[in-house]
Amino acid sequence: MVENPIINRIALEGNSKIADKDLNSEIQLRPRVVYTRTRVQNDVRRILELYRRHGRFAATVEPKVIQLSENRVDLVLRSTRTLDRSTQHPISSGNRQFGDGTCAHHRKKGKPLYRFLSTSDTYDPID
């Protein structure tokens, strides 16, 4: 029978948009706790949910386990994200009234004046 290893250290990488303290509050694994794949998968799911709440729907989290001596492991949770804002260059379809150049011109004008009243530029389906 093989015992599950003990977590020596947990490292968070690639998370430039969310503070480490916020990510650490989401994960339940800690150093000196028994490592199991199920616990890691649950923490990955929690981190992805946190990214989604911040509007980062394309984020991925890849766990990497580094084997150490004495039945210990280091766990690295690497966050990557692809395109943050998929509406940066929207595709106009079904528009027969205005040319693509006209639509692009109006998109480039900038944010509406009332935008400063908004507290966030992030879509949250829960709100």
Side-chain angles (χ1 to χ4, degrees):
M1 183 170 154
V2 178
E3 291 183 13
N4 286 335
I6 302 295
I7 297 174
N8 181 56
R9 183 175 75 98
I10 299 174
L12 301 169
E13 294 181 353
N15 52 313
S16 61
K17 297 294 181 183
I18 299 177
D20 283 351
K21 67 179 181 76
D22 294 333
L23 290 171
N24 279 323
S25 68
E26 285 294 318
I27 62 175
Q28 293 183 344
L29 284 173
R30 301 281 177 241
R32 295 183 298 281
V33 172
V34 175
Y35 166 86
T36 65
R37 268 192 201 158
T38 305
R39 288 180 177 173
V40 172
Q41 290 171 347
N42 289 338
D43 281 348
V44 166
R45 235 184 326 252
R46 283 186 195 91
I47 292 171
L48 288 174
E49 182 59 35
L50 182 64
Y51 273 109
R52 285 186 186 102
R53 287 193 306 245
H54 282 84
R56 311 283 179 205
F57 295 99
T60 60
V61 177
E62 182 181 331
K64 181 179 177 185
V65 179
I66 302 168
Q67 299 289 335
L68 302 173
S69 62
E70 300 174 7
N71 202 26
R72 296 175 302 134
V73 295
D74 281 347
L75 177 62
V76 178
L77 298 172
R78 175 110 177 109
S79 302
T80 57
R81 53 188 167 79
T82 56
L83 188 63
D84 284 342
R85 291 178 238 138
S86 61
T87 58
Q88 192 73 15
H89 301 286
I91 299 170
S92 301
S93 65
N95 173 27
R96 290 184 175 81
Q97 190 69 28
F98 303 101
D100 287 341
T102 303
C103 291
H105 170 74
H106 287 286
R107 279 195 304 266
K108 289 180 183 178
K109 278 188 172 182
K111 295 181 179 179
L113 212 70
Y114 61 84
R115 189 62 171 204
F116 72 93
L117 296 173
S118 174
T119 58
S120 173
D121 287 338
T122 315
Y123 171 73
D124 187 356
I126 297 173
D127 284 349

